[in-house]
Amino acid sequence: MVTPAAPVLVLNGPNLNLLGLREPAIYGTDTLDTIERLCHDTGKGLGLRVECRQSNHEGVLIDAVQEARTAHRGIVINPAGYSHTSVALRDALAAVGLPVVEVHLSNIHRREEFRHHSYVSGVADAVICGAGAHGYALALTHLARLIAVD
Ligand code: CA2
């Protein structure tokens, strides 16, 4: 029997479960559910199986990254607020040994100063920000290239 290729992980951080319900001027009107469907559809077109997870808890995100080491082929992550605070999440991503693409819906560089720095960016293979929900499709497309050359 041929073992099916492992999926890629799309990991969303704190408060992204509120997408579409508040702050549409900044984050758009798409819900997390819509974004996850976009990821599954984009993955299908790229020949990638996609698994999506969201958590509001730093430790749960870190556990998901650690588990991805053996269960997934790559990670697309929107660390949300933890981008700007979490050395622990950065350390987990640095150790995972998989291609990582960081995505942000908004252009974090056009926003408040405290959002300009992401701890995750220094360990990500690529960073996409400001493209809204489409950024996830771009991130998966790039992840597929990184996996292909691996
Ligand atoms: O632009 C992004 O994707 C962010 O990662 C979103 C984070 C923010 O802390 C980052 O600086 C940039 C916030 C996600 C919170 O999303 C909400 C959505 C609707 C209502 C309230 C929060």
Side-chain angles (χ1 to χ4, degrees):
M1 197 179 89
V2 180
T3 314
V8 299
L9 178 64
V10 175
L11 194 52
N12 279 298
N15 297 307
L16 288 165
N17 55 313
L18 299 176
L19 281 175
L21 307 177
R22 297 197 207 125
E23 307 216 56
I26 302 174
Y27 299 118
T29 53
D30 287 316
T31 62
L32 183 60
D33 196 55
T34 308
I35 288 175
E36 289 184 346
R37 264 186 283 129
L38 166 80
C39 290
H40 288 295
D41 291 349
T42 304
K44 226 171 259 168
L46 293 164
L48 293 177
R49 219 147 42 86
V50 173
E51 272 178 22
C52 297
R53 288 188 67 181
Q54 185 273 333
S55 178
N56 293 326
H57 305 280
E58 189 174 14
V60 174
L61 294 167
I62 291 166
D63 285 345
V65 170
Q66 289 186 8
E67 286 159 19
R69 185 179 184 80
T70 51
H72 295 91
R73 286 200 281 170
I75 301 176
V76 168
I77 184 166
N78 183 345
Y82 288 136
S83 315
H84 319 300
T85 63
S86 182
V87 173
L89 184 57
R90 175 197 170 106
D91 288 346
L93 288 163
V96 76
L98 295 172
V100 174
V101 180
E102 178 183 3
V103 60
H104 297 280
L105 293 155
S106 62
N107 181 350
I108 55 176
H109 303 290
R110 270 217 253 187
R111 301 184 61 195
E112 303 95 321
E113 185 92 31
F114 69 86
R115 294 186 203 274
H116 295 183
H117 177 260
S118 163
Y119 283 101
V120 168
S121 298
V123 297
D125 293 287
V127 183
I128 293 161
C129 76
H134 183 59
Y136 287 82
L138 296 172
L140 281 165
T141 303
H142 189 61
L143 192 68
R145 287 175 72 107
L146 294 174
I147 289 168
V149 297
D150 217 27

